[in-house]
Amino acid sequence: MCIRRLFQFSHLQWAQRATFLKHIQHKHQGTHRWTHSGGSTYRAVIFDMGGVLIPSPGRVAAEWELQNHIPSGTILKAFIEAGENGPWMRFIRGEITTEDFLKEFGRLCSEISKTSVPVDSFFSLLTSDRVAKQFPVMTEAITQIRAKGLQTAVLSNNFCLPSGKSFFPLDRKQFDVVVESCLEGICKPDPRIYKLCLEQLGLQPSESIFLDDLGPNLKTAASLGIHTIKVNDPETAVKELESLLGFTLRVGIPNTRPVRKTMEIAKDALEKYLKDLLGIQTTGPLELLQFDHGQSNPTYYIRLANHQLVLRKKPPGTLLPSAHAVEREFRIMKALANTGVPVPNVLDLCEDTRVIGTPFYLMEYCPGLTYKDPSLPGIEPSRRQAIYTAMNRVLCKIHSVDFKAAGLEDYGKQGDYIPRQVQTWIKQYRASETSIIPAMERLIEWLPLHLPSQQRTTVVHGDFRLDNLLFHPEKTEVLAVLDWELSTLGDPLADVAYSCLAHYLPSSFPMLRGFGDCDLTHLGIPTAEEYFRMYCLHMGIPPIENWNFYMAFSFFRMAAILQGVYKRSLTGQASSATAEQSGNLTEFMSNLAWDFAVKEGFQVFKKMPAPKLLKRSYHTWATPQSLLSPTGTRSYSSIPEGFPAHASKGALVISPEGLSPPARELYHRLRRFMEQRVYPVEQELQRHQASGDRWSPSPLIEDLKIFNCSAPDTGNMELLVRYGTEEQKARWLLPLLEGKARSCFAMTEPQVASSDATNIESSIREEDGFYVINGHKWWITGILDPRCQLCVFMGKTDPHAPRHRQQSVLLVPMDTPGIKIIRPLTVYGLEDAPGGHGEVRFEHVRVPKENMVLGPGRGFEIAQGRLGPGRIHHCMRLIGSSERALALLKARVRSRVAFGKPLVEQGTVLADIAQSRVEIEQARLLVLRAAHLMDMAGNKAAALDIAMIKMVAPTMACRVVDRAIQAFGAAGLSSDYPLAQFFASARALRFADGPDEVHRATVAKMELKHRA
């Protein structure tokens, strides 16, 4: 699970665990309470913070450890380690600073786990606004307690932030007394801190109730005479507190707020209407609240006499045609009442606009739980699985309704649902359009051309997602399906796809949260594929093949809805307080939709017949026989789009969707791996490179070492595969392939222009059955890595031989005497630890003769053969770093404001983004073609393309990264982001493995030769 979506748990509250480990072990075995026998009247309630008022840190640690690949239990063990004198205990007593704590605690965690532990990341998470949110049920309870005249207090084992202020993410006005360990120098379960709290309250122990989630703290409180409540779950704890206090603490309606000013309705007219409808004679006041969900139709809670109702109405103002159809909502729910589909009991539809200004309908209020966050924080994985299974089954019930028997035969047109929906949402979008969004324009053109054939017609909900379901508070049972505004008769698969939107949205997405960046296996939530298979199984139907179209349409429709919400927000008509944000989200949604359209396009492409050539093709056809024409120029021929991507080895695939299924699966696995395991630890790796331990490999890199594609190892592996003997391969190639060893390539020398390999001066001479090496090398990448076991050394064996037959290559074990590393070299001040770039002397280094590669005088040939793959690998890395730089640039400019408006709205920034995308794609296609030629015709035939990409890619990367740095300002130059390192690497590669000038000359000569 990704960090941003960790179970909303926070605040470190574990001091007592240092000395009471045995109580931790019993924490989940049952509820323990220590009570006094007196009958005193309670005058105050004292709350612990973490685990009581805000979420517990226990699960945060477990989730964070899983996400960051830290051994389970590391954080807990570190809290316990060293007892009262450990870093954690001293930290919460205010004896050490945050900086010192993080250093000591990080070192301790690393020792325990035998791996590098980024504790600053953990600390940031615990103190983040996203995680440290007060439980609504506790906020409500505190309000009621204070309304009854009782005092409230917080007694917390707390700590100070780097600013010097204590970490207290709560409104202090809620409490009469706040006692924090870091400010008092003592912590729970020390009795003194309890007595201090009681003293400030001015109360005796028997006059107070203390809530905590940890037994040792409660035991000490009980021994002093304080009544205690063990908190395992806030809801349950509030119920127990109610029984002790003798009055209710939960009188509010969940997810409601005072009616927004722009959404107010005439209460007097409504009250008269309700009394006539319900036959109420009472003169009691009408209570009116607004639900905080419902982007489209404003929804209200009503209490009148003993009636609790929900009113749902059209928004005010001029509305889009056929939108906000509350009349249809009323009809469908009334019709489904006896079909087995759980719906609220509807009472009346009022179309008389004189009552409250717009049509509305009434239904009975049904208490239950709605889950706004689809990742279901704070819930066990098995229960999450059960919730999504219940959701799936309810959707199957909706799609199984006999709509004719339910009187809904005319509820919508039968057949052609998707074509009609596409046109409807195109019209809705056009009617609310405020600016041109390129992806929406592409979709408006693409969707009508790729319509699937409809297999079935059923009742469709139209907005089926988790937060439109009302669940039983204690069972995984759906009590009611809400928000039927978009329901009709149509293609049920549209509902299924729409209910999977959250699978592809990020957890940070406002208004409609997702979990696309989370570990669903750990959460217990089925993947979109599993959810769809579950639906097919329950319905007894086979899976479909055009799933991507349904997803593209679903995201397109959501983008159109968000645009409508945004348009209404401009005039104050939108019912949600967050509606104004939707303007920036439409483009995001449309881009996701287009991603699925592209995927579906390739699915369609593979099935198309090929009777004739089309104007555009997705593949370039190249075969060894056709790569070079008789005149020496390369020739290509296009194949039709309908030609199967897998039909021949010669097809150049330019998109992942054109890959074979196994390769495509690898590609998606790689994407997930990068997003879930690499990018989250990026900053920790940067910190490691700047730490005192930088010359030791980061354990994180060791854990992530599944690609094994670093330079110069890839080039050395190529060298051994192409030119090594079987004995050399057994000794050196296998360990390199398995990632058990690292290597370096020693060629460049400080005294000569080493871009010309024939200039190399280091000597290799034969002596007593050995080769003896002497020479001075520098910029030897990877030689400083303690794992480096092999140096591939290039030197001269015969200075008198023809110019290109003087050099030879030797395999030199790094433990051979005489290898002396002089110093690490820096690239723009960056050391690139732990491999680094070394300046090295080889003094009388003796190497067995069998370590010669291919034979004496073959060094130049070997170097040239090695450079082809090495150069394309560099170009691939440069494209990757450019993509990462552009992603960082886009995120940065969306979040920063300068000169009165977001950076993303500045014309120069938009131009930089566009230019960067164009340059990356140009370079990517050129590199892809070079790789294809290398695979199909060999490195020699691809020489021109290799020269071109090595000339293009580094310069492109320099420009793209430079634009990103400019957008970041000074931060772009720091080690807080990888941009400075990206730039240094790209700039160095303009002469590493051959300077730009050499490649330009090569391209020019070959161009002149071919065109002569």
Side-chain angles (χ1 to χ4, degrees), residues 884-900:
R884 187 74 177 128
L886 180 56
L888 290 169
L889 185 159
K890 291 188 291 185
R892 182 74 168 187
V893 299
R894 286 189 178 113
S895 65
R896 309 291 280 196
V897 176
F899 306 107

Side-chain angles (χ1 to χ4, degrees), residues 68-87:
N68 289 274
H69 316 294
I70 305 299
S72 177
T74 296
I75 296 293
L76 176 58
K77 292 175 185 176
F79 278 118
I80 296 170
E81 194 79 15
E84 293 292 328
N85 296 319

Side-chain angles (χ1 to χ4, degrees), residues 700-717:
L700 287 174
I701 289 293
E702 288 298 294
D703 291 342
L704 297 174
K705 188 174 61 183
I706 66 166
F707 304 126
N708 197 19
C709 59
S710 300
D713 294 322
T714 51
N716 291 339
M717 290 183 224

Side-chain angles (χ1 to χ4, degrees), residues 493-757:
L493 296 177
D495 264 352
V496 185
Y498 189 80
S499 66
C500 291
L501 291 184
H503 286 79
Y504 303 99
L505 291 171
S507 54
S508 58
F509 194 78
M511 302 176 70
L512 189 63
R513 291 182 181 177
F515 43 69
D517 47 0
C518 301
D519 184 345
L520 298 189
T521 301
H522 178 74
L523 286 177
I525 296 174
T527 64
E529 294 78 10
E530 292 167 341
Y531 183 87
F532 180 54
R533 286 198 299 269
M534 185 192 306
Y535 172 86
C536 293
L537 180 64
H538 291 160
M539 294 297 294
I541 60 173
I544 60 168
E545 296 182 358
N546 47 2
W547 172 254
N548 287 318
F549 174 89
Y550 285 95
M551 291 307 307
F553 168 69
S554 295
F555 276 109
F556 170 76
R557 190 182 72 162
M558 195 65 209
I561 291 172
L562 288 173
Q563 183 63 28
V565 173
Y566 175 65
K567 180 71 176 289
R568 293 196 305 278
S569 75
L570 299 179
T571 59
Q573 293 176 259
S575 63
S576 170
T578 59
E580 292 182 10
Q581 301 178 28
S582 60
N584 296 325
L585 306 180
T586 303
E587 184 173 6
F588 181 90
M589 281 287 191
S590 63
N591 286 332
L592 280 176
W594 183 246
D595 286 345
F596 280 103
V598 171
K599 294 177 183 178
E600 181 64 19
F602 276 101
Q603 294 291 342
V604 173
F605 159 81
K606 290 176 185 177
K607 296 178 182 179
M608 289 174 62
K612 60 181 179 178
L613 293 179
L614 303 180
K615 290 183 179 179
R616 297 183 62 185
S617 96
Y618 292 95
H619 296 71
T620 297
W621 186 255
T623 66
Q625 292 77 22
S626 64
L627 284 172
L628 294 176
S629 70
T631 60
T633 58
R634 293 167 305 145
S635 64
Y636 295 88
S637 62
S638 297
I639 63 167
E641 289 186 356
F643 203 93
H646 53 78
S648 172
K649 216 176 143 177
L652 170 57
V653 181
I654 65 170
S655 167
E657 281 66 32
L659 296 169
S660 66
R664 189 163 62 247
E665 172 59 21
L666 275 175
Y667 168 81
H668 290 301
R669 283 175 59 194
L670 171 60
R671 287 290 300 270
R672 290 193 298 270
F673 181 86
M674 295 297 296
E675 291 167 358
Q676 296 175 7
R677 299 185 63 178
V678 177
Y679 295 147
V681 300
E682 195 171 62
Q683 288 190 339
E684 173 57 19
L685 294 175
Q686 290 165 355
R687 284 190 290 268
H688 180 80
Q689 283 195 317
S691 71
D693 297 327
R694 62 188 179 280
W695 295 109
S696 296
S698 167
L700 287 174
I701 289 293
E702 288 298 294
D703 291 342
L704 297 174
K705 188 174 61 183
I706 66 166
F707 304 126
N708 197 19
C709 59
S710 300
D713 294 322
T714 51
N716 291 339
M717 290 183 224
E718 290 265 358
L719 182 150
L720 288 165
V721 169
R722 290 171 180 266
Y723 309 114
T725 65
E726 291 305 313
E727 292 75 18
Q728 291 169 348
K729 291 177 183 178
R731 181 174 180 185
W732 301 115
L733 178 59
L734 289 178
L736 287 172
L737 290 171
E738 293 171 353
K740 296 178 180 178
R742 302 300 296 271
S743 62
C744 62
F745 187 81
M747 174 177 165
T748 307
E749 299 180 0
Q751 304 303 323
V752 297
S754 304
S755 57
D756 182 352

Side-chain angles (χ1 to χ4, degrees), residues 772-788:
V772 178
I773 299 172
N774 283 279
H776 184 188
K777 301 282 189 180
W778 73 343
W779 294 107
I780 311 306
T781 299
I783 197 168
L784 299 163
D785 194 314
R787 299 164 297 181
C788 182

